[in-house]
Short mmCIF file of all heavy atoms in Angstrom, two decimals:
data_model
loop_
_atom_site.label_atom_id
_atom_site.label_comp_id
_atom_site.label_asym_id
_atom_site.label_seq_id
_atom_site.Cartn_x
_atom_site.Cartn_y
_atom_site.Cartn_z
N VAL A 28 0.81 -1.22 0.00
CA VAL A 28 0.00 0.00 0.00
C VAL A 28 0.84 1.27 0.00
O VAL A 28 0.27 2.37 -0.06
CB VAL A 28 -0.99 0.04 1.18
CG1 VAL A 28 -1.79 -1.26 1.26
CG2 VAL A 28 -0.27 0.30 2.50
N LYS A 29 2.14 1.14 0.04
CA LYS A 29 3.01 2.31 0.06
C LYS A 29 2.77 3.17 -1.18
O LYS A 29 2.72 2.68 -2.29
CB LYS A 29 4.48 1.90 0.13
CG LYS A 29 4.90 1.36 1.48
CD LYS A 29 6.37 0.99 1.49
CE LYS A 29 6.80 0.47 2.85
NZ LYS A 29 8.21 0.03 2.86
N GLY A 30 2.62 4.46 -0.95
CA GLY A 30 2.36 5.38 -2.03
C GLY A 30 0.90 5.51 -2.39
O GLY A 30 0.53 6.39 -3.18
N ARG A 31 0.06 4.66 -1.84
CA ARG A 31 -1.37 4.70 -2.14
C ARG A 31 -2.22 5.03 -0.92
O ARG A 31 -3.26 5.67 -1.04
CB ARG A 31 -1.83 3.36 -2.72
CG ARG A 31 -1.12 2.99 -4.02
CD ARG A 31 -1.77 1.78 -4.69
NE ARG A 31 -1.72 0.58 -3.84
CZ ARG A 31 -2.80 -0.03 -3.35
NH1 ARG A 31 -4.01 0.43 -3.61
NH2 ARG A 31 -2.66 -1.12 -2.59
N PHE A 32 -1.80 4.57 0.26
CA PHE A 32 -2.55 4.81 1.48
C PHE A 32 -1.80 5.79 2.37
O PHE A 32 -0.56 5.82 2.38
CB PHE A 32 -2.75 3.51 2.27
CG PHE A 32 -3.66 2.50 1.63
CD1 PHE A 32 -4.17 2.68 0.36
CD2 PHE A 32 -4.00 1.35 2.33
CE1 PHE A 32 -5.01 1.75 -0.23
CE2 PHE A 32 -4.83 0.40 1.76
CZ PHE A 32 -5.33 0.59 0.49
N THR A 33 -2.54 6.57 3.14
CA THR A 33 -1.95 7.52 4.06
C THR A 33 -2.66 7.44 5.40
O THR A 33 -3.88 7.63 5.47
CB THR A 33 -2.03 8.96 3.53
OG1 THR A 33 -1.43 9.04 2.24
CG2 THR A 33 -1.32 9.92 4.48
N ILE A 34 -1.92 7.17 6.45
CA ILE A 34 -2.48 7.13 7.79
C ILE A 34 -2.19 8.45 8.49
O ILE A 34 -1.12 9.03 8.34
CB ILE A 34 -1.92 5.94 8.60
CG1 ILE A 34 -2.65 5.79 9.94
CG2 ILE A 34 -0.42 6.06 8.80
CD1 ILE A 34 -2.29 4.51 10.70
N SER A 35 -3.15 8.92 9.26
CA SER A 35 -2.97 10.16 10.02
C SER A 35 -3.83 10.10 11.26
O SER A 35 -4.75 9.29 11.37
CB SER A 35 -3.31 11.39 9.17
OG SER A 35 -4.66 11.37 8.76
N ARG A 36 -3.53 10.97 12.21
CA ARG A 36 -4.32 11.03 13.42
C ARG A 36 -4.57 12.48 13.80
O ARG A 36 -3.71 13.35 13.59
CB ARG A 36 -3.63 10.29 14.58
CG ARG A 36 -2.27 10.85 14.98
CD ARG A 36 -1.50 9.90 15.89
NE ARG A 36 -2.11 9.76 17.20
CZ ARG A 36 -1.74 8.85 18.11
NH1 ARG A 36 -0.77 7.98 17.81
NH2 ARG A 36 -2.34 8.80 19.28
N ASP A 37 -5.74 12.75 14.33
CA ASP A 37 -6.10 14.07 14.80
C ASP A 37 -6.53 13.90 16.25
O ASP A 37 -7.67 13.53 16.54
CB ASP A 37 -7.23 14.66 13.96
CG ASP A 37 -7.50 16.11 14.30
OD1 ASP A 37 -7.22 16.53 15.44
OD2 ASP A 37 -8.00 16.84 13.42
N ASN A 38 -5.60 14.15 17.15
CA ASN A 38 -5.88 13.95 18.57
C ASN A 38 -7.02 14.84 19.07
O ASN A 38 -7.81 14.42 19.92
CB ASN A 38 -4.62 14.20 19.40
CG ASN A 38 -3.55 13.15 19.18
OD1 ASN A 38 -3.81 12.08 18.63
ND2 ASN A 38 -2.34 13.45 19.63
N ALA A 39 -7.09 16.05 18.56
CA ALA A 39 -8.12 16.98 19.00
C ALA A 39 -9.51 16.47 18.64
O ALA A 39 -10.48 16.77 19.33
CB ALA A 39 -7.89 18.36 18.39
N LYS A 40 -9.61 15.73 17.55
CA LYS A 40 -10.88 15.18 17.11
C LYS A 40 -11.08 13.73 17.53
O LYS A 40 -12.09 13.12 17.16
CB LYS A 40 -11.01 15.31 15.59
CG LYS A 40 -11.06 16.74 15.10
CD LYS A 40 -11.24 16.80 13.59
CE LYS A 40 -11.31 18.23 13.10
NZ LYS A 40 -11.48 18.31 11.63
N ASN A 41 -10.14 13.20 18.27
CA ASN A 41 -10.21 11.81 18.74
C ASN A 41 -10.41 10.84 17.58
O ASN A 41 -11.18 9.88 17.69
CB ASN A 41 -11.33 11.65 19.76
CG ASN A 41 -11.15 12.50 20.98
OD1 ASN A 41 -10.04 12.59 21.52
ND2 ASN A 41 -12.22 13.13 21.44
N THR A 42 -9.71 11.09 16.50
CA THR A 42 -9.96 10.33 15.28
C THR A 42 -8.67 9.91 14.59
O THR A 42 -7.72 10.69 14.48
CB THR A 42 -10.82 11.13 14.31
OG1 THR A 42 -12.04 11.53 14.96
CG2 THR A 42 -11.18 10.30 13.09
N LEU A 43 -8.66 8.69 14.13
CA LEU A 43 -7.62 8.14 13.29
C LEU A 43 -8.17 8.01 11.88
O LEU A 43 -9.34 7.65 11.70
CB LEU A 43 -7.20 6.76 13.81
CG LEU A 43 -6.25 5.94 12.96
CD1 LEU A 43 -4.84 6.53 13.00
CD2 LEU A 43 -6.25 4.48 13.43
N TYR A 44 -7.35 8.29 10.88
CA TYR A 44 -7.79 8.23 9.50
C TYR A 44 -6.91 7.31 8.67
O TYR A 44 -5.73 7.11 8.97
CB TYR A 44 -7.75 9.62 8.85
CG TYR A 44 -8.58 10.66 9.53
CD1 TYR A 44 -8.01 11.56 10.43
CD2 TYR A 44 -9.95 10.77 9.27
CE1 TYR A 44 -8.77 12.53 11.05
CE2 TYR A 44 -10.72 11.73 9.89
CZ TYR A 44 -10.13 12.62 10.78
OH TYR A 44 -10.89 13.58 11.39
N LEU A 45 -7.49 6.80 7.62
CA LEU A 45 -6.73 6.11 6.59
C LEU A 45 -7.28 6.54 5.24
O LEU A 45 -8.43 6.23 4.91
CB LEU A 45 -6.82 4.59 6.73
CG LEU A 45 -5.95 3.80 5.75
CD1 LEU A 45 -4.47 4.01 6.05
CD2 LEU A 45 -6.29 2.30 5.79
N GLN A 46 -6.47 7.26 4.49
CA GLN A 46 -6.83 7.67 3.15
C GLN A 46 -6.38 6.60 2.18
O GLN A 46 -5.20 6.24 2.15
CB GLN A 46 -6.18 9.01 2.80
CG GLN A 46 -6.43 9.49 1.38
CD GLN A 46 -7.87 9.87 1.13
OE1 GLN A 46 -8.52 10.44 2.00
NE2 GLN A 46 -8.38 9.55 -0.06
N LEU A 47 -7.30 6.07 1.41
CA LEU A 47 -7.02 5.02 0.45
C LEU A 47 -7.18 5.58 -0.95
O LEU A 47 -8.28 5.98 -1.34
CB LEU A 47 -7.94 3.82 0.63
CG LEU A 47 -7.91 3.03 1.95
CD1 LEU A 47 -8.66 3.77 3.05
CD2 LEU A 47 -8.53 1.66 1.74
N ASP A 48 -6.11 5.63 -1.69
CA ASP A 48 -6.13 6.11 -3.07
C ASP A 48 -5.67 5.01 -4.01
O ASP A 48 -5.03 4.05 -3.60
CB ASP A 48 -5.22 7.33 -3.23
CG ASP A 48 -5.68 8.53 -2.44
OD1 ASP A 48 -6.89 8.80 -2.40
OD2 ASP A 48 -4.81 9.22 -1.85
N SER A 49 -5.99 5.18 -5.28
CA SER A 49 -5.60 4.22 -6.31
C SER A 49 -5.95 2.80 -5.91
O SER A 49 -5.13 1.88 -6.00
CB SER A 49 -4.10 4.35 -6.60
OG SER A 49 -3.76 5.65 -7.02
N LEU A 50 -7.18 2.62 -5.47
CA LEU A 50 -7.59 1.34 -4.94
C LEU A 50 -7.58 0.24 -5.99
O LEU A 50 -7.89 0.48 -7.16
CB LEU A 50 -8.98 1.45 -4.33
CG LEU A 50 -8.99 2.11 -2.94
CD1 LEU A 50 -10.39 2.57 -2.58
CD2 LEU A 50 -8.46 1.14 -1.89
N GLU A 51 -7.21 -0.93 -5.56
CA GLU A 51 -7.13 -2.12 -6.40
C GLU A 51 -8.08 -3.17 -5.84
O GLU A 51 -8.47 -3.12 -4.67
CB GLU A 51 -5.70 -2.65 -6.43
CG GLU A 51 -4.68 -1.63 -6.89
CD GLU A 51 -3.25 -2.05 -6.64
OE1 GLU A 51 -3.03 -3.12 -6.03
OE2 GLU A 51 -2.34 -1.32 -7.08
N THR A 52 -8.44 -4.14 -6.67
CA THR A 52 -9.33 -5.19 -6.21
C THR A 52 -8.75 -5.94 -5.02
O THR A 52 -9.49 -6.40 -4.15
CB THR A 52 -9.65 -6.19 -7.33
OG1 THR A 52 -8.43 -6.73 -7.87
CG2 THR A 52 -10.40 -5.49 -8.46
N GLU A 53 -7.44 -6.04 -4.97
CA GLU A 53 -6.76 -6.72 -3.87
C GLU A 53 -6.91 -6.01 -2.53
O GLU A 53 -6.60 -6.57 -1.49
CB GLU A 53 -5.28 -6.91 -4.19
CG GLU A 53 -4.99 -7.87 -5.33
CD GLU A 53 -5.17 -7.24 -6.71
OE1 GLU A 53 -5.41 -6.01 -6.79
OE2 GLU A 53 -5.07 -7.98 -7.71
N ASP A 54 -7.37 -4.77 -2.57
CA ASP A 54 -7.58 -4.01 -1.34
C ASP A 54 -8.92 -4.33 -0.68
O ASP A 54 -9.19 -3.86 0.43
CB ASP A 54 -7.51 -2.51 -1.61
CG ASP A 54 -6.14 -2.07 -2.10
OD1 ASP A 54 -5.12 -2.54 -1.54
OD2 ASP A 54 -6.08 -1.25 -3.04
N THR A 55 -9.75 -5.09 -1.35
CA THR A 55 -11.04 -5.45 -0.79
C THR A 55 -10.86 -6.24 0.50
O THR A 55 -10.19 -7.28 0.52
CB THR A 55 -11.85 -6.28 -1.79
OG1 THR A 55 -12.14 -5.49 -2.94
CG2 THR A 55 -13.16 -6.76 -1.17
N ALA A 56 -11.44 -5.74 1.57
CA ALA A 56 -11.29 -6.37 2.88
C ALA A 56 -12.12 -5.62 3.90
O ALA A 56 -12.62 -4.53 3.64
CB ALA A 56 -9.82 -6.38 3.31
N LEU A 57 -12.24 -6.22 5.07
CA LEU A 57 -12.78 -5.53 6.23
C LEU A 57 -11.61 -4.85 6.92
O LEU A 57 -10.64 -5.50 7.30
CB LEU A 57 -13.46 -6.53 7.17
CG LEU A 57 -14.21 -5.95 8.36
CD1 LEU A 57 -15.40 -5.11 7.90
CD2 LEU A 57 -14.69 -7.07 9.28
N TYR A 58 -11.71 -3.55 7.09
CA TYR A 58 -10.63 -2.76 7.67
C TYR A 58 -10.92 -2.44 9.13
O TYR A 58 -11.99 -1.96 9.47
CB TYR A 58 -10.44 -1.47 6.89
CG TYR A 58 -9.71 -1.66 5.58
CD1 TYR A 58 -10.33 -2.31 4.51
CD2 TYR A 58 -8.40 -1.22 5.40
CE1 TYR A 58 -9.67 -2.52 3.31
CE2 TYR A 58 -7.74 -1.42 4.21
CZ TYR A 58 -8.37 -2.07 3.17
OH TYR A 58 -7.71 -2.27 1.97
N TYR A 59 -9.94 -2.70 9.98
CA TYR A 59 -10.05 -2.48 11.41
C TYR A 59 -9.05 -1.42 11.87
O TYR A 59 -7.93 -1.37 11.37
CB TYR A 59 -9.72 -3.75 12.20
CG TYR A 59 -10.57 -4.95 11.92
CD1 TYR A 59 -10.25 -5.83 10.89
CD2 TYR A 59 -11.67 -5.23 12.72
CE1 TYR A 59 -11.02 -6.95 10.65
CE2 TYR A 59 -12.45 -6.35 12.48
CZ TYR A 59 -12.11 -7.21 11.45
OH TYR A 59 -12.87 -8.33 11.22
N CYS A 60 -9.43 -0.63 12.83
CA CYS A 60 -8.47 0.21 13.52
C CYS A 60 -8.15 -0.40 14.87
O CYS A 60 -8.94 -1.16 15.43
CB CYS A 60 -8.97 1.65 13.68
SG CYS A 60 -10.50 1.85 14.61
N ALA A 61 -6.97 -0.09 15.39
CA ALA A 61 -6.53 -0.67 16.64
C ALA A 61 -5.56 0.26 17.34
O ALA A 61 -4.97 1.14 16.72
CB ALA A 61 -5.87 -2.03 16.39
#
């Protein structure tokens, strides 16, 4: 996923993000945060 996904966090908003770009069929999955 290097170059396609971007992880970030916003502590003030109590939120973790994952930006998924240039998605491929192989990216199909259930995504979990931890």
Side-chain angles (χ1 to χ4, degrees):
V28 310
K29 287 181 179 177
R31 300 190 299 116
F32 292 6
T33 304
I34 187 172
S35 62
R36 62 193 292 170
D37 188 334
N38 291 345
K40 295 182 179 180
N41 299 316
T42 304
L43 172 72
Y44 301 98
L45 185 68
Q46 176 68 38
L47 298 78
D48 295 319
S49 302
L50 283 163
E51 304 168 356
T52 56
E53 293 80 7
D54 297 318
T55 296
L57 186 65
Y58 284 71
Y59 301 87
C60 60

